[in-house]
Amino acid sequence: MSAEPRINDRIRVPEVRLVGPSGEQVGIVPLAKALELAQEYDLDLVEVAANARPPVCKLMDYGKFKYESAMKAREARKNQAHTVIKEMKLRPKIDPHDYDTKKGHVVRFLKQGDKVKITIMFRGREQSRPELGYRLLQRLAEDVQDLGFVESNPKQDGRNMIMVLGPHKKKTEAMAEARQAQEARKAEAKANPGKSQNPAEAEASEAPSEEPAEA
């Protein structure tokens, strides 16, 4: 069967197995009778199973069918989950502030449903202390255990040590939650346009200014 099914006068067989507009089985009828019924219902006769003997045809609004099929395909592509592996690099003697920053990125990636490859980079004498990297990876895994799990245990790779974290949530779930949160924010902003600013911002916005505010 080609990408575009044969419809109406393009169907060239003596008889067809006809399916009605509501999916009811009409039976095997001459092609002329099937075309007559299509005209009577103001619908199209569409060949849905060309290789059957006789071919199966259905009465439907083909234009509407094509439009709905295109919308379904578009929605499926929109919701399609792509496996993404993010990467985060750390040093074994990372300071607390940098650690919190890096951990924040890992949390964000896991919430988005992405995997995260954590790489500990050893330099110089640090290569003789692999336990430092191992303990750091264990600490990170414990800090984000509510959002992800250790998919690939820490292992040495040359001068680096690598661990992969996988998200508890599937990518499709994360995407759906993100869309719902965005829609909720839009609805709240629309319902309460004056509550999106805190008092300081509101006061600043009301004050006259000769120069445009910086972005």
Side-chain angles (χ1 to χ4, degrees):
M1 184 175 179
S2 62
E4 287 287 333
R6 293 185 296 183
I7 66 172
N8 300 327
D9 295 337
R10 296 180 183 175
I11 302 172
R12 304 290 185 180
V13 291
E15 59 184 13
V16 299
R17 185 178 297 277
L18 186 63
V19 179
S22 300
E24 70 276 14
Q25 297 290 330
V26 178
I28 298 176
V29 300
L31 176 62
K33 177 63 177 177
L35 290 171
E36 182 182 329
L37 288 172
Q39 188 173 12
E40 182 179 329
Y41 282 106
D42 194 22
L43 294 171
D44 298 298
L45 181 66
V46 182
E47 189 177 59
V48 294
N51 294 328
R53 293 292 179 267
V56 180
C57 294
K58 184 176 181 180
L59 297 174
M60 68 173 75
D61 183 336
Y62 187 58
K64 181 180 178 182
F65 170 76
K66 284 186 66 176
Y67 174 78
E68 291 177 347
S69 296
M71 290 299 100
K72 288 179 181 178
R74 181 181 177 183
E75 188 66 21
R77 289 194 298 271
K78 181 179 178 181
N79 293 330
Q80 188 175 7
H82 298 281
T83 302
V84 177
I85 299 180
K86 304 289 188 177
E87 184 171 13
M88 187 59 56
K89 296 181 178 181
L90 294 79
R91 295 293 307 281
K93 296 181 179 180
I94 188 171
D95 67 66
H97 176 72
D98 286 343
Y99 174 80
D100 289 338
T101 300
K102 300 280 188 178
K103 184 181 70 174
H105 291 312
V106 173
V107 166
R108 177 164 53 87
F109 294 147
L110 292 173
K111 282 184 176 180
Q112 292 172 351
D114 295 322
K115 296 182 181 182
V116 188
K117 176 183 175 183
I118 312 296
T119 302
I120 304 294
M121 301 180 296
F122 296 96
R123 292 180 182 175
R125 295 180 180 179
E126 292 175 348
Q127 297 179 57
S128 63
R129 300 288 304 279
E131 69 276 6
L132 295 176
Y134 185 78
R135 285 201 296 266
L136 182 58
L137 291 175
Q138 281 189 314
R139 175 189 172 190
L140 181 59
E142 291 174 1
D143 286 348
V144 300
Q145 61 183 340
D146 291 342
L147 298 171
F149 62 96
V150 178
E151 184 174 288
S152 178
N153 289 315
K155 63 180 180 180
Q156 199 75 26
D157 182 18
R159 295 184 178 183
N160 301 328
M161 183 175 287
I162 296 172
M163 177 181 73
V164 177
L165 295 173
H168 289 314
K169 289 181 182 178
K170 294 182 179 179
K171 183 72 172 178
T172 50
E173 294 175 356
M175 291 171 63
E177 288 184 3
R179 282 198 300 272
Q180 290 174 0
Q182 185 179 20
E183 290 171 0
R185 287 194 297 269
K186 288 181 178 179
E188 184 177 355
K190 186 176 181 180
N192 305 290
K195 294 184 179 181
S196 60
Q197 295 176 315
N198 61 41
E201 291 174 334
E203 185 178 351
S205 65
E206 292 174 0
S209 174
E210 296 180 358
E211 298 180 0
E214 294 183 2

